[in-house]
Amino acid sequence: MIRLEKRPTPSQTWAYLTPLVAVVATMIAGGILFAFLDKDPVVAIRTIFWDPIFGEFAFYYRGQLLVKAGPLILIAIGLSLGFKAGIWNIGAEGQYIMGAIFGAAVGLAFYPMEARWLIFPLMILAGAFGGFLWAMIPGILKTRFNTNEILVSLLLVYVAESILASMSLGLLRNPEGAGFPGSRNLRQYESAANNELIAGWGMHWGVVAAFIAVIFAYILLSRHIMGFNIRLTGESPRAARFAGVNPNRLILFCLGLSGALAGLAGMFEVAGPAGQISIDFNVGYGFTAIIVAFLGRLHPIGILLAGMLMALTYIGGEAAQASLGLPAAAIQAFQGMLLFFLLAFDVLTNFRVRFGREAAV
Amino acid sequence: MTALLSVQGLRKAYPGVVANDDVSFTVGKGEVHALLGENGAGKSTLVKMVYGLVKPDEGQMIFNDGAYTPGSPHEARSTGIAMVFQHFSLFEALDVAENVALGMENPPPMRELAASIREVSETYGLPLDPSRLVGDLSAGERQRVEIIRCLLQDPKLLIMDEPTSVLTPQEVDILFETLRKLQAEGTSILYISHKLEEIRALCDGATILRLGKVVGSCDPREKSARELAEMMVGTELKSPAATRHELGDVALTLKNLSVNSSNPFGTSLKNVSFDVREGEVLGIGGVAGNGQDELLGALSGELKSVSDAVQLGGKPIGHLGPNQRRQLGVLAAPEERLGHAAAPDMSLVENAALSAWVRMGMVRNGFIDWAMARNFAEKVIDDYDVRTPGSANAARALSGGNLQKFVIGREILQKPNILIVNQPTWGVDASAAAAIRQAILDLAAGGAAVVCISQDLDELMEISNRFAALNEGRLSEPRPAQGLTIDEIGLMMGGAHGMEVAHIHEEEGAS
C-alpha cells in the first residue's frame, strides 16, 4: 500500500525538483498521447523541444523564442505577486487585450504624425493603464462587495474579447483597409512600431520590459516591505493583519500591478509581433502565463526559465503542426499536462511517499 | 483496590521524537487517577493509545484482566472506555439530543434519547436541556454534552483531557461533584491535567510524566502542590517575584468600547470600559470565547473603533491601525502563536520584522534592513532563552513554549508603553511560563502598563494588580486582585453558565 506522510517542514529539494520532474513526466505522457495519434513519439518530442534550438531552422526559431517568452514572462511576473498573496487574477488575458486596445488606440490617434519620442512612451503608458483599469474592476468589486476575483476577472476576459472584436470592426478599423476587419499596421508606422532591437534576436521593447520586471519583482519580494507584506498575506492572512497590512490595499495593488503588466504585454505585442488590432489578436498568453507562474514556483528567476520553456513548447508545437501534422489541440493538451503534473508532483514537497503496510499512525 | 486498566511498558516514537518510553501505570476500579505532566510530556499520546487512536510501538495493556489492544476508538468504546476531549466535536447547528445521537452506534428514537439524556443529567447533577441548540450553549454546557454522551455508554473508564480549562470555578465544582458521584458508583476516571490543586482535590493516585517517561507516582493528597510541580518539572520552581512600585498616571483608557467581531461565530464587545495606569498589570479573566480575541484586536488596532473609545494618555487612538499604534508604543501579543502572532513557514528573522519593523526602524525608504532584523531576532533569542538552532529556522519548527517566549520577547524588547497579551503562557511548560510572567512583571516594574488576558486564574492572581472578567463581550468592573475570593471571581466570570439562566432572566425582568 502507498501512503503519504506529512513532512515536518517542506522539502527544499523537492520544491526545486518538481518542475523538472513535471517536465519529464509531461514528455513521457505527451509521447504516449502522440503515439495514439500515430506519430512517432520520439520524433514529436524532438521536434518540440530540440529542433527549435539546435535543429536545421534554429536560426529562425531562436528569435521566436524571445518573442513568445517576452509576454509570457511579463504577465506571469505580475500574476505571481498576486498568487503569492492568495489573490487570484485569472483574467490576465482580458487585461492583455485591453492594454493592446488602449496602446494601439493612442498610437492610431496620432497617425500619421511622426514623433516617436512622444507617441511610443504615451502608448506604453496607455497600454499599462488599460490593463490596470480592467484589473481594477474585479479589485474594486472584491474590496467593496467581497465578490470572487477569480470569477469576475475570468468573465471579463470574454467581455474584453467582445470589445476587441467591436474595435477591429468599428472604431479602430483601418479606413484604408478595403473594409477588412483590423486596424492599421502599427509596425509600418515608425512612431508607434515596436520592432526588433537587434535583427534576428526577437528582442523588442516588450522583452526588455519583461527582464526589467523580473529584476523588479525579485527586489520587491526579497527586500521591500511591500513584497514582505505580499508574502506574509499569502502565508497567513491573520498574521498579516496583525502586522498592519491593509488587505484591501494589498488586493488593489496586486491586481492593479498584474493588470498593468498584462496590459503592457498586450501593447508591446500589438505594436510589434502582431502589428495590428484584429479579432483574433489574443492567442492565450494570459492563460498560459498562469502555468508559467506556477511552473516557475512564483519565483522571478523561476518564471524567467519557465517562460522560456513554455515559449519553446509554443514554437516547437507550431513546428510539429507544420512538419508532423499534429493537431493544435494536442499542443494545448500538452501544455495543460505540464501544469497538471506540476501540481501533482507538488505533493512531494509537503509529503513523503511510504510504501508497505500501514504502520501505527 | 483491584486493577481495571494496567499499562505496561508502552512506547511510541514519532519521527524525531519519542513521545512515550516504557510507560507503565495502573488505574484501579473506582479510582480517579491523574496523569500529570507539562505540555509535551506525552500525556496526550498516552491516552490516545489507551483510546485506540494511536497504536503503540511496544508494550501491552490489560483491561479487566484481559489483553486489550484497541484498533480504533470504536473498539475502545465497546470495551467500556470513553473519552471527553479538550476540544469538543459538536455541531453547533444541531440540538443536544441530535449531537448525542450522532456519536452513537445505534441511536434510539429521539424521544427516548431525550428522556435518557434528561435522566442522566439529573442523576449526575449536570443540568442540560436536550432540545437546546449546541450553538447557544456555553463552553461548560458543551462539555456536559460530551460527558453525557460518554455516560450514556455506561463506561467503566472515563478519560478526561484537561476538562477544566474552559470552565468557571463554579462549573468546576459542578463537574467535580459529578466525577465523585461516578467514582462512588465504581467508574474509574483517568484525569489529565497540569492544574495541581485540582488534582489534589480530586484524585486518589497520580502518575507523573516528564519527557515521555514516568518519573514518579504518588498519592496527590499527601503531597503539596509545590512538590507535585517540582516532580513534574524536574527542577525547583521559582515563583515570579513582583516588586512593589508606585503606579503612575493613567496610560490607557477604554470608554464604552463596542466593536463587532469580524468572525461570524465571534463575540462582539459591548460597552467595555477600564483604565490602566503606568506600572500596573490589569488581569482580564473569563471563559474562552467571551470576547478575548476581539478585545485584543480592538487594542492592537486590528479592529478599529470609534476613536474616543480607546485613549492613550487622553489621546484618542481607536481609529488607528496596528502600525500607527505601535509607533505610539502600544504593542500586543495575540493568543494564537502560529498564524496570528507569527507566520508558521517564515523564518524567525522574518517573524521578528513582522511586528518590530515599525518601532525598531528596520525599514528605510520602503526597503527592509535584513541585517538589522537578524540582529533583533538573535537578541530576542538570546535574551529570552528561545531554544532553536538559529534565527533562520521556520517559526513552526519551534515548540509552543519557545515560540511563545520569542513572541513575548519580541514585543517586550521593543520597549512598549502599553503591552496587551492574550494567554501568554497557554500551552507553555512551567519553567517557560514562569519566565514569561517574570518578564511581564519586570516590564510593569519599568513603568509600562500591561493588560493581560488569560484563562488561567492562578496566573492572573499571581501577576495582576487589578482583575476584571469578560462575560459575553461585557467586562465586569475591575477590582483589586488582592483579597478576591475564588467565589467572587467565579461570579464575575458569569457564575455557572446555564444554571443561573432563570435567575438572570428574573433580574432582567425586574429592572
Side-chain angles (χ1 to χ4, degrees):
Chain A
M1 204 176 111
I2 305 172
R3 286 184 308 113
L4 290 174
E5 189 178 286
K6 194 159 169 57
R7 294 174 191 272
T9 50
S11 160
Q12 214 51 37
T13 325
W14 273 109
Y16 290 111
L17 222 53
T18 39
L20 296 178
V21 176
V23 169
V24 173
T26 309
M27 286 186 182
I28 295 169
I32 295 170
L33 174 79
F34 299 144
F36 275 113
L37 292 167
D38 286 333
K39 311 287 174 197
D40 182 341
V42 178
V43 174
I45 297 292
R46 204 190 62 210
T47 312
I48 296 172
F49 284 101
W50 184 264
D51 287 354
I53 313 179
F54 303 107
E56 204 183 334
F57 300 105
F59 64 90
Y60 167 73
Y61 288 129
R62 274 183 216 161
Q64 285 297 302
L65 203 60
L66 285 180
V67 170
K68 303 278 185 203
L72 285 176
I73 294 169
L74 195 53
I75 300 170
I77 287 285
L79 293 181
S80 71
L81 296 176
F83 291 173
K84 260 189 185 301
I87 298 160
W88 307 103
N89 178 4
I90 304 299
E93 184 81 357
Q95 294 138 23
Y96 170 85
I97 294 172
M98 294 312 281
I101 293 176
F102 271 62
V106 166
L108 293 169
F110 283 98
Y111 186 86
M113 185 178 124
E114 291 290 353
R116 186 167 174 81
W117 59 271
L118 172 72
I119 297 172
F120 196 62
L122 271 184
M123 285 170 66
I124 293 177
L125 289 180
F129 180 69
F132 171 82
L133 209 64
W134 210 240
M136 272 301 105
I137 300 174
I140 289 170
L141 287 177
K142 183 176 175 72
T143 50
R144 280 285 146 85
F145 306 109
N146 203 19
T147 56
N148 184 321
E149 79 277 19
I150 300 177
L151 287 174
V152 177
S153 65
L154 179 63
L155 293 177
L156 281 171
V157 172
Y158 304 103
V159 178
E161 280 178 347
S162 300
I163 296 177
L164 176 71
S166 121
M167 284 294 164
S168 42
L169 292 171
L171 203 56
L172 295 182
R173 188 173 58 180
N174 184 359
E176 294 156 23
F180 284 106
S183 71
R184 278 180 206 280
N185 196 323
L186 289 162
R187 293 172 76 173
Q188 290 154 10
Y189 172 29
E190 183 111 1
S191 294
N194 174 31
N195 287 323
E196 268 185 318
L197 297 171
I198 308 166
W201 278 47
M203 182 85 137
H204 58 68
W205 281 111
V207 180
V208 175
F211 287 138
I212 294 173
V214 168
I215 298 167
F216 166 81
Y218 185 84
I219 294 174
L220 181 83
L221 286 173
S222 61
R223 300 235 160 262
H224 200 272
I225 188 72
M226 198 66 203
F228 179 72
N229 286 345
I230 286 173
R231 288 190 291 133
L232 186 58
T233 304
E235 288 272 345
S236 168
R238 210 160 161 221
R241 205 160 306 161
F242 175 62
V245 179
N246 180 332
N248 284 347
R249 216 177 292 164
L250 196 80
I251 289 167
L252 294 180
F253 176 84
C254 287
L255 284 175
L257 188 65
S258 58
L261 290 183
L264 271 183
M267 176 268 148
F268 286 122
E269 191 72 14
V270 78
Q276 58 166 181
I277 289 289
S278 60
I279 294 175
D280 54 358
F281 162 74
N282 60 314
V283 290
Y285 283 142
F287 291 119
T288 312
I290 298 170
I291 306 181
V292 171
F294 279 105
L295 194 63
R297 310 266 74 175
L298 305 183
H299 187 284
I301 308 294
I303 288 170
L304 183 68
L305 299 173
M308 295 292 198
L309 181 74
M310 271 331 256
L312 188 61
T313 64
Y314 262 113
I315 296 161
E318 275 170 27
Q321 279 175 49
S323 60
L324 302 175
L326 272 177
I331 300 301
Q332 283 170 10
F334 193 74
Q335 291 177 343
M337 254 185 243
L338 193 54
L339 181 63
F340 172 80
F341 279 118
L342 182 76
L343 297 177
F345 284 114
D346 245 3
V347 167
L348 297 174
T349 312
N350 281 309
F351 292 87
R352 204 177 267 139
V353 180
R354 291 260 183 232
F355 298 96
R357 203 179 68 82
E358 186 173 359
V361 182
Chain B
M1 209 183 319
T2 50
L4 176 74
L5 172 74
S6 168
V7 168
Q8 293 162 0
L10 278 194
R11 178 189 163 87
K12 177 70 200 175
Y14 291 108
V17 59
V18 179
N20 282 141
D21 190 13
D22 193 21
V23 173
S24 305
F25 69 93
T26 303
V27 183
K29 281 191 178 132
E31 183 189 353
V32 182
H33 191 92
L35 272 184
L36 184 60
E38 296 189 74
N39 284 288
K43 294 169 299 192
S44 297
T45 308
L46 185 56
V47 290
K48 279 181 188 162
M49 289 194 281
V50 175
Y51 194 55
L53 278 167
V54 170
K55 222 179 257 179
D57 298 338
E58 280 172 33
Q60 52 180 343
M61 291 181 271
I62 293 168
F63 190 80
N64 244 348
D65 298 328
Y68 170 62
T69 50
S72 67
H74 173 74
E75 231 172 285
R77 281 195 296 268
S78 55
T79 317
I81 296 180
M83 181 159 171
V84 177
F85 288 90
Q86 196 176 356
H87 303 284
F88 309 138
S89 43
L90 298 171
F91 294 94
E92 302 203 332
L94 299 180
D95 71 23
V96 170
E98 285 165 335
N99 264 291
V100 171
L102 277 176
M104 302 177 101
E105 316 292 345
N106 296 307
M110 273 302 156
R111 191 179 301 236
E112 279 173 43
L113 185 63
S116 52
I117 289 174
R118 247 188 216 105
E119 187 195 316
V120 171
S121 81
E122 270 162 32
T123 319
Y124 294 101
L126 293 168
L128 194 63
D129 178 353
S131 62
R132 279 182 73 195
L133 274 190
V134 166
D136 298 335
L137 300 182
S138 72
E141 289 170 303
R142 288 178 197 208
Q143 187 183 52
R144 283 177 217 152
V145 180
E146 292 272 9
I147 294 173
I148 285 174
R149 187 192 261 180
C150 289
L151 294 186
L152 284 171
Q153 303 161 25
D154 204 10
K156 298 186 189 75
L157 175 69
L158 180 64
I159 305 173
M160 303 208 72
D161 191 0
E162 304 265 355
T164 57
S165 57
V166 295
L167 303 181
T168 66
Q170 277 80 358
E171 287 172 326
V172 170
D173 286 342
I174 299 174
L175 175 69
F176 280 16
E177 284 294 310
T178 309
L179 295 183
R180 288 202 185 95
K181 222 172 261 176
L182 279 169
Q183 183 188 14
E185 288 175 3
T187 309
S188 306
I189 294 162
L190 188 55
Y191 189 88
I192 300 157
S193 181
H194 61 256
K195 293 190 183 165
L196 305 161
E197 290 300 341
E198 279 175 15
I199 286 176
R200 292 186 63 235
L202 185 71
C203 301
D204 313 311
T207 300
I208 296 144
L209 290 175
R210 193 193 318 145
L211 300 174
K213 290 186 179 150
V214 174
V215 292
S217 56
C218 63
D219 184 338
R221 290 166 298 191
E222 291 167 359
K223 301 271 180 190
S224 72
R226 193 175 186 84
E227 282 172 308
L228 288 175
E230 284 173 7
M231 282 175 89
M232 191 162 95
V233 182
T235 54
E236 218 171 296
L237 264 186
K238 267 185 268 166
S239 311
T243 50
R244 300 242 151 245
H245 56 270
E246 291 293 312
L247 300 185
D249 297 333
V250 171
L252 179 75
T253 309
L254 255 61
K255 242 164 84 187
N256 296 325
L257 171 76
S258 298
V259 281
N260 287 329
S261 176
S262 48
N263 173 355
F265 293 109
T267 308
S268 300
L269 297 176
K270 300 165 195 94
N271 283 320
V272 172
S273 301
F274 65 72
D275 47 36
V276 203
R277 305 169 85 89
E278 288 164 3
E280 185 183 34
V281 179
L282 174 67
I284 294 184
V287 174
N290 273 294
Q292 283 91 340
D293 276 352
E294 289 75 11
L295 182 59
L296 182 114
L299 290 171
S300 73
E302 289 162 83
L303 287 175
K304 289 179 188 169
S305 58
V306 185
S307 59
D308 274 352
V310 185
Q311 294 178 9
L312 180 70
K315 185 178 171 235
I317 60 164
H319 59 292
L320 300 180
N323 283 338
Q324 290 163 302
R325 293 195 196 188
R326 283 188 182 112
Q327 253 155 3
L328 296 170
V330 182
L331 305 186
E335 169 184 5
E336 208 181 322
R337 294 180 282 259
L338 282 178
H340 193 181
D345 285 320
M346 284 187 155
S347 73
L348 292 180
V349 175
E350 289 169 306
N351 272 304
L354 191 152
S355 79
W357 67 265
V358 179
R359 216 168 150 70
M360 303 307 283
M362 287 176 197
V363 172
R364 250 167 280 132
N365 302 323
F367 287 91
I368 304 172
D369 185 341
W370 284 117
M372 208 168 174
R374 183 168 305 109
N375 287 339
F376 181 69
E378 272 156 18
K379 189 169 162 50
V380 175
I381 291 170
D382 286 346
D383 288 10
Y384 286 84
D385 188 28
V386 179
R387 315 256 165 90
T388 166
S391 57
N393 267 48
R396 78 169 183 192
L398 266 65
S399 73
N402 276 313
L403 187 56
Q404 186 68 24
K405 285 195 275 189
F406 182 82
V407 167
I408 299 276
R410 177 182 73 185
E411 304 306 327
I412 291 183
L413 279 184
Q414 296 181 52
K415 302 198 175 63
N417 305 327
I418 317 271
L419 180 67
I420 302 104
V421 289
N422 189 3
Q423 296 274 66
T425 60
W426 177 78
V428 170
D429 64 66
S431 50
I436 290 170
R437 285 175 200 150
Q438 187 63 56
I440 292 173
L441 287 173
D442 291 347
L443 181 72
V450 179
V451 177
C452 179
I453 307 168
S454 177
Q455 268 126 261
D456 186 340
L457 292 177
D458 299 339
E459 167 171 285
L460 291 178
M461 289 304 111
E462 197 172 297
I463 64 173
S464 316
N465 300 78
R466 282 185 303 149
F467 174 87
L470 270 173
N471 183 20
E472 291 174 358
R474 291 190 174 82
L475 191 75
S476 69
E477 183 76 19
R479 294 165 64 174
Q482 224 164 16
L484 269 187
T485 67
I486 203 83
D487 272 339
E488 288 169 318
I489 293 172
L491 288 174
M492 288 165 86
M493 286 165 69
H497 286 273
M499 288 199 78
E500 310 227 321
V501 172
H503 178 66
I504 289 166
H505 280 301
E506 274 165 25
E507 260 181 10
E508 276 173 359
S511 61

